[in-house]
Amino acid sequence: MSVGRGLFVHVGLFVLASASAVAVWTRDEQPKALVQTEATVWSGRPADVAKVVFEGKNRKVSLETKSDKLGAYYLGMLEREAAPPPATPDAGAPPPTPAGKTKTDFVSVGVAQKLVESLAPLKALRALGRIPDDRAAEFGLAEPDGTLTVTIGGAERKLVLGGTTPGGGDRYVREPQTGETYVIDGSAVRDLDTAESRLVERDLHGWKEAEVSTAELSAGGKKRQVVRGGPEGKRFWADPAAADQKDETAANFMAKLDRLRPTDYVMTEPAGKQDVLRVEYAAGSSLGFLELVRVPATDPLSTVEYFVRTERTRLYAKVPKQTAEQVEQDLGSILK
């Protein structure tokens, strides 16, 4: 009997110790404040978003909403710390002048639209309640990564950005007005933090080439129309007089146009621009256009530059010189 009683005592002590350990672990890792519930941080519609501003430790990114008959697009601005000047080996020389900041303007459409849709309304994956100050560092909120401000419906809504969640890309954030802390999807913050690679619009059009039925090319007072022929899934460019036969010259030329990827946007029309080519795309009705212009070198130290503008880019953007020169050189063969 004493053995049985001893066994029960040991089992009871083990259960008690286990419960105590769980309580301690729960207290340390999942405090009562961390309520695992979904929540709406703020409401609103994408159409109500006027501006998005991300301020990080060494950069600031803003997106300002614009719209035209084709829908919404966004004028972006990226400010970041320039690369520091090289250190001088001369110990007696004065310290180098700080590099300062660089500013880049750009247009964003597709990715920016998805970003805005994720912010209005803003849904939290989890609502964590109010985190005590002595635990703020655990969530990256003692020294935040930056802030995110969204102007929606005429009002500014702001979030302080903490760290990322363990093993994932979600983000801890705090609403400064209420002190409430949330976990949100980290995609929007990542897009803003890497604006130069993620947000700058590189696509010339919002539609696919397969959707086009005709294209009219105009340059130097000459015009030519090409059409899409062939069966579905194997479409090709052809001359209207022989729509069932692929025109290799036209196909190669149109492929080169697709490689005119925008790099640096300009907010004003390039001074001294010279028209190179205009293309009108249609599928029964107009789908869009492409304009290619050249800006000649103004002095011996500069070089000719090419810019493109389409219905999607809205503004002119610089394109790689080599590709643009190939397009210009091939105009003689395509516009006979």
Side-chain angles (χ1 to χ4, degrees), residues 20-32 34 135 138:
S20 178
V22 169
V24 171
W25 180 87
T26 303
R27 182 193 66 203
D28 290 343
E29 301 298 331
Q30 300 289 331
K32 187 177 181 180
L34 305 190
R135 299 207 62 197
E138 297 177 36

Side-chain angles (χ1 to χ4, degrees), residues 44-87:
R45 303 177 305 156
D48 296 330
V49 175
K51 195 171 186 178
V52 177
V53 178
F54 164 78
E55 294 188 72
K57 293 180 178 179
N58 59 2
R59 62 177 47 211
K60 177 180 179 180
V61 179
S62 67
L63 290 173
E64 185 176 356
T65 305
K66 301 291 182 181
S67 63
D68 56 18
K69 63 181 180 181
L70 296 178
Y73 65 101
Y74 304 86
L75 295 184
M77 185 273 295
L78 165 63
E79 282 185 304
R80 53 184 167 177
E81 299 291 341

Side-chain angles (χ1 to χ4, degrees), residues 4-336:
R5 284 197 299 270
L7 177 62
F8 282 120
V9 169
H10 283 292
V11 170
L13 290 174
F14 174 77
V15 171
L16 183 62
S18 298
S20 178
V22 169
V24 171
W25 180 87
T26 303
R27 182 193 66 203
D28 290 343
E29 301 298 331
Q30 300 289 331
K32 187 177 181 180
L34 305 190
V35 182
Q36 305 292 308
T37 60
E38 295 182 355
T40 299
V41 182
W42 60 63
S43 58
R45 303 177 305 156
D48 296 330
V49 175
K51 195 171 186 178
V52 177
V53 178
F54 164 78
E55 294 188 72
K57 293 180 178 179
N58 59 2
R59 62 177 47 211
K60 177 180 179 180
V61 179
S62 67
L63 290 173
E64 185 176 356
T65 305
K66 301 291 182 181
S67 63
D68 56 18
K69 63 181 180 181
L70 296 178
Y73 65 101
Y74 304 86
L75 295 184
M77 185 273 295
L78 165 63
E79 282 185 304
R80 53 184 167 177
E81 299 291 341
T88 174
D90 187 353
T97 304
K101 294 183 178 181
T102 62
K103 179 175 174 292
T104 304
D105 296 309
F106 61 91
V107 172
S108 189
V109 185
V111 176
Q113 183 61 39
K114 292 180 180 179
L115 185 152
V116 166
E117 289 172 355
S118 72
L119 296 176
L122 178 59
K123 299 287 187 178
L125 302 175
R126 299 193 297 278
L128 306 182
R130 298 185 180 183
I131 303 299
D133 290 342
D134 61 354
R135 299 207 62 197
E138 297 177 36
F139 303 92
L141 292 167
E143 297 182 8
D145 285 346
T147 60
L148 176 64
T149 306
V150 182
T151 303
I152 179 169
E156 282 193 354
R157 305 301 301 264
K158 189 172 185 177
L159 292 175
V160 175
L161 304 174
T164 56
T165 56
D170 299 329
R171 175 78 62 161
Y172 294 115
V173 298
R174 173 183 280 165
E175 193 172 22
Q177 289 183 328
T178 63
E180 296 291 326
T181 303
Y182 304 92
V183 175
I184 66 170
D185 186 301
S187 299
V189 176
R190 286 195 298 273
D191 288 344
L192 290 162
D193 197 28
T194 56
E196 60 271 44
S197 60
R198 289 288 298 148
L199 288 178
V200 178
E201 188 60 52
R202 309 294 185 189
D203 292 335
L204 295 173
H205 311 287
W207 36 264
K208 303 299 182 183
E209 187 184 56
E211 300 175 44
V212 181
S213 58
T214 64
E216 184 178 80
L217 295 79
S218 305
K222 296 181 179 181
K223 288 187 178 183
R224 182 187 174 184
Q225 187 180 76
V226 292
V227 299
R228 297 286 286 172
E232 200 70 33
K234 296 183 179 181
R235 306 281 282 170
F236 51 74
W237 287 105
D239 189 87
D244 59 341
Q245 300 177 21
K246 182 178 181 179
D247 187 316
E248 291 290 349
T249 301
N252 291 336
F253 185 82
M254 299 303 284
K256 288 178 182 178
L257 288 183
D258 287 340
R259 293 198 291 270
L260 292 172
R261 293 301 178 191
T263 56
D264 303 315
Y265 281 84
V266 292
M267 297 296 107
T268 58
E269 188 175 285
K273 71 178 180 67
Q274 299 171 350
D275 295 336
V276 175
L277 172 69
R278 182 177 175 90
V279 184
E280 296 282 352
Y281 300 91
S285 58
S286 176
L287 282 177
F289 68 92
L290 179 148
E291 291 180 2
L292 178 64
V293 301
R294 179 201 322 107
V295 177
T298 56
D299 58 67
L301 297 179
S302 63
T303 182
V304 63
E305 294 181 326
Y306 290 86
F307 295 82
V308 71
R309 183 171 76 95
T310 71
E311 81 288 340
R312 186 172 180 85
T313 69
R314 271 76 169 190
L315 303 180
Y316 285 99
K318 191 181 294 186
V319 291
K321 178 184 175 183
Q322 183 177 3
T323 306
E325 282 182 332
Q326 290 177 358
V327 169
E328 186 173 22
Q329 291 166 3
D330 289 351
L331 284 174
S333 61
I334 194 74
L335 296 175
K336 295 179 181 179

